[in-house]
Amino acid sequence: MKTSGRTWLAVTVATACVWFPWLACSAASAKMLSVTWMPGFSAPGTPARYDKVGVLKIGPSQARNVLVLEPGTSAGSGYFVPLAEWLVSKVKGWQVWSVERRENLLEDQSVFNLAKQHRASNQRVFNYYLGWLTNANIKHHIQTVPDSEVPFARKWGLNVAVQDLHSVIGAAGKLGGKVVLGGHSLGGSVVTAYATWNFAGRPGADELAGLVYDDGASIGPPVTAQDARQSLHTLQTSTPWLAFSGVPAPFLGLYSTSGSLGALLASNAPSIGQTFKLLPAALKPPVRVTNLAIFGYDVDVKTSKLVFAAQAHVGHLDTSFSPARWSRGSAITPVRRYATMLSGLNVNNADGSEWYFPQRLTDDTGAIGNGIANPAQHVLDVHATMGRHLPRRLLMYAFGAYGGKVIVQATQALARQSHIPMRNLTLVNRHRSYAHNDPAAAYPHNVFFTHLVAFLHGVSGQR
């Protein structure tokens, strides 16, 4: 996909793009995490080098119980790192494995890695990832992946994601403890798909002790077979990648990582993004601001012009400073914590964003139907057909934030289908006080986290 700066500008000005505070080198590095890659599904037509799935393993290696977390749309493994580190400090005997999907092998994290190690200047990072869009004199820059080089990615749908996840669940199960599968947003849809997937006549949930839904689930009736066929037809002549919020791949990831990393490494420096001509006016605060302040302004629920999937409760502008800074106030989520989730600050070669997100994966989730066989599944090669055959011992935890009671209701319906007792369910609805990203990001008071700790204690039999 060769995308010129002018073409990209035409798209982003018409939609919401992400953040532009640029990077500098100031803070000391923590010990870096690295993704562990393992063999994944041998997807037809895919080169073997991409048939892999990764996990960030957080927690004591001797812990036998594993919480596997599946990120949402356009999100990477780094998204769950702060939550996971907090969790393993409170729940003994558990590890957290955050999934890094195969498409992230296409990312060029080289200069972001250097910035995290304080070996790349502000200007170098900006030039490499974004400056070249408007400056033809910049010759050394990221090379985007042409669609013609990855035609096989049009087949990276739910079957590939679930089969890759099957490798992760299998590896976690070999530790000999309990395995719980959780997911955020679209990751919650994948949780239901996996739990109800037909693996040689047995549901995926047979391998699991529990399910966790973080503001995501299989919601609503499945798409029709006709709609499914149309999505496949459209995909054959279009890019393999989702243009999330209208922003084409890989630019959503580039802006997300640049903005969130800059907010951390040059928090109080004046925002270069505010004077950059590619930034839509809707994303520019009304006063001069710092890097951290523009990030906060563009993600906070009160001021953000981005879609709900980018938002959290992080605070407000403090105009008593010049340039204006960011104040948390009474917000439940620390802005730096959320920026850490998106940037993968302490993660080598990965972040909390997914630069190339398969359109096919989004399309296929429409056929899950809470695990009940339907015509669209046959069209899309989706095998989530065991929704009435989950083990009755299965425990479920659903937290509704932006999705509210819809998330809770979908989880209740899934349990009823298999006659799972309602006492096995933990259901929490906080749609009035939690935005879409607050469950993973809020600290130190976090209703989602408190119930998750209790849930995992219940799974492992702790008191």
Side-chain angles (χ1 to χ4, degrees):
M1 182 187 67
K2 294 294 186 182
T3 308
S4 70
R6 293 185 182 274
T7 300
W8 180 83
L9 176 59
V11 175
T12 52
V13 168
T15 59
C17 70
V18 199
W19 313 282
F20 288 77
W22 311 123
L23 308 184
C25 301
S26 58
S29 294
K31 183 178 180 181
M32 302 290 282
L33 297 169
S34 294
V35 174
T36 298
W37 291 95
M38 62 184 72
F41 176 60
S42 295
T46 296
R49 66 182 180 276
Y50 297 120
D51 285 332
K52 298 177 183 178
V53 59
V55 290
L56 280 177
K57 297 182 179 181
I58 298 163
S61 59
Q62 68 273 20
R64 298 171 63 205
N65 302 316
V66 182
L67 171 61
V68 177
L69 293 176
E70 180 82 6
T73 301
S74 297
S77 59
Y79 179 89
F80 290 116
V81 169
L83 175 69
E85 292 177 336
W86 190 20
L87 195 61
V88 298
S89 74
K90 299 295 184 181
V91 186
K92 294 181 179 180
W94 284 86
Q95 297 183 51
V96 178
W97 291 9
S98 184
V99 175
E100 182 81 345
R101 289 184 285 257
R102 63 172 56 203
E103 48 267 24
N104 293 342
L105 290 166
L106 298 169
E107 297 177 359
D108 174 6
Q109 292 272 348
S110 60
V111 180
F112 282 139
N113 287 340
L114 293 176
K116 294 173 187 179
Q117 300 163 20
H118 314 300
R119 295 168 54 200
S121 69
N122 177 17
Q123 194 64 51
R124 179 179 176 186
V125 174
F126 169 65
N127 287 351
Y128 188 77
Y129 287 109
L130 295 166
W132 63 277
L133 289 168
T134 56
N135 186 349
N137 293 322
I138 298 174
K139 305 300 183 183
H140 180 62
H141 58 77
I142 187 173
Q143 299 297 310
T144 60
V145 178
D147 291 352
S148 59
E149 291 185 5
V150 289
F152 46 84
R154 293 186 175 92
K155 298 180 180 179
W156 286 359
L158 195 56
N159 185 49
V160 172
V162 166
Q163 297 293 349
D164 279 351
L165 189 54
H166 195 45
S167 296
V168 174
I169 298 295
K174 289 180 180 178
L175 298 181
K178 303 292 182 65
V179 181
V180 171
L181 177 61
H184 173 244
S185 195
L186 175 137
S189 299
V190 176
V191 168
T192 295
Y194 187 90
T196 63
W197 204 263
N198 188 336
F199 291 103
R202 298 181 61 187
D206 276 1
E207 305 168 290
L208 303 171
L211 308 177
V212 173
Y213 294 96
D214 172 4
D215 210 35
S218 175
I219 299 170
V223 298
T224 66
Q226 180 179 354
D227 286 342
R229 283 190 289 268
Q230 182 59 50
S231 70
L232 289 181
H233 177 74
T234 301
L235 188 58
Q236 294 313 305
T237 55
S238 61
T239 175
W241 313 118
L242 175 73
F244 190 66
S245 194
V247 184
F251 295 103
L252 178 75
L254 299 184
Y255 277 86
S256 177
T257 305
S258 295
S260 54
L261 197 52
L264 295 169
L265 300 182
S267 300
N268 292 324
S271 168
I272 299 177
Q274 202 169 19
T275 61
F276 189 64
K277 64 181 181 180
L278 288 188
L279 182 64
L283 298 183
K284 295 182 178 181
V287 297
R288 285 290 289 150
V289 296
T290 64
N291 287 335
L292 186 64
I294 195 171
F295 174 82
Y297 181 88
D298 284 337
V299 299
D300 187 75
V301 293
K302 298 183 298 299
T303 53
S304 177
K305 304 303 188 294
L306 302 170
V307 295
F308 78 92
Q311 295 177 4
H313 290 89
V314 297
H316 58 85
L317 287 175
D318 182 353
T319 57
S320 65
F321 293 91
S322 183
R325 298 185 181 182
W326 192 254
S327 173
R328 178 180 178 181
S330 60
I332 60 175
T333 288
V335 66
R336 287 180 175 84
R337 185 177 179 87
Y338 186 32
T340 297
M341 292 163 55
L342 297 182
S343 66
L345 178 65
N346 298 322
V347 181
N348 184 57
N349 217 38
D351 54 26
S353 302
E354 190 166 302
W355 306 2
Y356 298 96
F357 186 86
Q359 178 67 48
R360 178 67 184 270
L361 181 52
T362 292
D363 293 343
D364 286 1
T365 57
I368 296 171
N370 238 359
I372 304 301
N374 60 77
Q377 290 189 356
H378 179 73
V379 175
L380 296 171
D381 194 27
V382 170
H383 305 281
T385 62
M386 306 289 286
R388 294 191 177 97
H389 304 283
L390 306 185
R392 295 190 64 188
R393 58 168 173 75
L394 194 66
L395 302 179
M396 300 183 186
Y397 170 33
F399 187 94
Y402 179 87
K405 66 180 182 180
V406 175
I407 306 301
V408 170
Q409 291 170 345
T411 306
Q412 289 175 316
L414 183 63
R416 289 193 186 102
Q417 291 170 185
S418 294
H419 306 288
I420 294 172
M422 289 298 111
R423 64 177 179 272
N424 287 21
L425 276 60
T426 301
L427 306 172
V428 184
N429 179 6
R430 290 292 186 275
H431 75 279
R432 296 185 184 277
S433 54
Y434 277 65
H436 193 54
N437 295 288
D438 287 324
Y443 182 89
H445 304 292
N446 185 327
V447 177
F448 170 74
F449 180 82
T450 299
H451 285 283
L452 181 56
V453 169
F455 180 80
L456 295 181
H457 280 158
V459 169
S460 60
Q462 292 176 265
R463 295 291 184 267

